[in-house]
Amino acid sequence: MESNFIKTIVEKDLAEGKVKEIVTRFPPEPNSYLHIGHARAIVVDFETAKDYGGRTNLRFDDTNPESEDVEYVDAIIEDVRWLGYEPDKILYGSDYFDEQYKRAQLLIRKGLAYVDDSTQEEISRMRGSFTEAGTNSPYRERSVEENLELFENMKNGKYKEGEKTLRAKIDMAHPNINMRDPIIYRIVYQHHHRHGDKWCIYPMYDFAHPLQDAIEGVTHSFCSIEFENHRPLYDWFVKECEMEHTPQQIEFGRLNIENTILSKRYFRELVEKGYVTGYDDPRMPTLRGIKRRGYTADAVKDFVISAGLSKTNATVSMDMLEHAVREDLKLKTSRIFAVVDPIELVIDNYPEGKVEYVDVVNNPENEALGLRKMAFSKYVYINRDDFIEEKPNKKWKRLALGEEVRLMNAYFVKANSVEYDKDGNVLRVHCTYDPETKSGSGFDQRKPNGNIGYVEKSTARKAKFNYFTSLFVPGTEGKDFSERICKDSWTIKEGFVEDFSEFKVGDSFQFIRDGYYTVDTESKEDELVFNETVALKSSYK
Ligand code: ATP
Ligand code: MG
């Protein structure tokens, strides 16, 4: 990764001998699927460690049993690996509950934590505001013995949810509101995905997170900028809980994408209200969604890295990500022919029943992808918009009645007449071909009126093509989903592709003069389904 403010800090710490080995962690809460924003955090965590020979753990911040589920745990592991990162260890914050309980007892013994009987509302009210100091809780001066006993009772399930909390005793007049006696533990009667019903008290994020980092020997704990004001508390807990290791929290700006929402809460709403087909809907900015659409892990990483890293939140355009996808797929994919919205050409002077094959280079920019045999016969499909009955002007460089074009990699054909369906649409175009003009023969007597692609009929594979636009109508930020959702953001067309390969789910191709496409999860052998991953830039069409 290129130099950035985080690497500067890390290099200084190494040079000064403050740390020997860089240890980082990616700490998702397993309550939903990862999105493109998380990719920034993952890249920063893994790449920074990698650049200095260090290591990175994947640690689940699973301290909130109300919203977490093992389904998300598995999906997150899979998504991190998809991005190309193998965690040094896969760890669970909840595995430190015993240790954290002891550290909380230590705080109590040091007179730095107390059990509070105030309700949630009372605690909020006593917290004060940015301009006013808070007020001390009436339970703040409980004795160490009483606090130890009450805390143990909390753990043993003697109280109802909300009846008591454990709070740090810091300073109710502290200018940083996070330091005004924050809650450390709350009572929650919920089944935990790893520990079942063992616990009915759960640590709050601000207490759990620094201790998790310290227990694991994390040296640099990267997180997004909204945690900046929590850093004094992070440091306070590490110090007062007398942790052996002192991790350093460093914040970076969040990555946002224009006209896209990167937030788990909204994902759930989109899925539950049926605006999308699921978390892996190709329109979703989840890692599963973009993977299904055909975005590559390398492109996502390049995108994240090229967007740079700063302390402020950045909103970048989707064009940047699409650019990275095109760049990445350019050399990796074979360039094949597909006909979306087909019409048939019948080459009247070509022998019935004959199929000939022409050698075609799969990717002129990457020889390693080899050659293929492409079929040609009396019947081929072309794109409907590559034909017009009457040539409208000189700029029309495609097929028209009386005009001759090259069928790419095959012959010149001239259109002579049209057959229509019952609705008057063009169904078939009758042509004649010139055997002298075979591609590669060096024929140069005439110039055709353009080159168009085709797919031979008897070998063609039937396919559906999914097209996507943004899920949201541009300029509707802040409005309700019912107004924001773009109703026809997923459209389907039908056509054919040349019989190139097995077309396995996830395989990507360039459809010549069209775009990059990827075989969708719903694809079947007798009816292939492709997602348009990203269109070619119009100048290449
Ligand atoms: P959300 O806002 O979608 O609910 P979150 O921040 O609650 O996300 P976590 O599971 O806590 O999600 O995130 C794990 C890590 O990913 C955190 O360190 C968080 O700072 C980081 N992260 C989440 N969203 C972004 C983003 N858009 N850009 C950069 N980092 C992010
Ligand atoms: Mg979070």
Side-chain angles (χ1 to χ4, degrees), residues 488-523:
D488 35 41
S489 53
W490 182 337
T491 49
I492 302 174
K493 292 184 184 169
E494 290 186 21
F496 300 94
V497 288
E498 56 168 303
D499 188 23
F500 176 73
S501 76
E502 286 177 47
F503 295 115
K504 290 202 288 292
V505 171
D507 286 352
S508 298
F509 302 90
Q510 185 190 110
F511 291 171
I512 291 167
R513 293 187 169 178
D514 182 343
Y516 293 98
Y517 287 72
T518 301
V519 182
D520 185 56
T521 45
E522 312 247 292
S523 188

Side-chain angles (χ1 to χ4, degrees), residues 97-102 104-105 108 115 147-160 164-166 185-189 197-202:
F97 281 167
D98 285 295
E99 175 74 28
Q100 286 172 343
Y101 180 75
K102 284 188 202 133
Q105 286 176 316
I108 295 175
V115 173
N147 279 319
L148 283 172
E149 191 188 327
L150 292 173
F151 186 44
E152 194 171 340
N153 290 344
M154 275 171 69
K155 181 185 78 142
N156 292 337
K158 292 230 168 118
Y159 312 116
K160 290 200 282 290
K164 286 187 169 41
T165 53
L166 183 72
Y185 272 93
R186 67 210 165 100
I187 299 170
V188 181
Y189 291 97
D197 298 318
K198 176 174 173 191
W199 294 91
C200 64
I201 54 170
Y202 284 89

Side-chain angles (χ1 to χ4, degrees), residues 103-119:
R103 301 285 166 167
Q105 286 176 316
L106 174 65
L107 289 181
I108 295 175
R109 283 200 301 278
K110 290 167 80 173
L112 294 176
Y114 60 96
V115 173
D116 196 331
D117 298 1
S118 310
T119 63

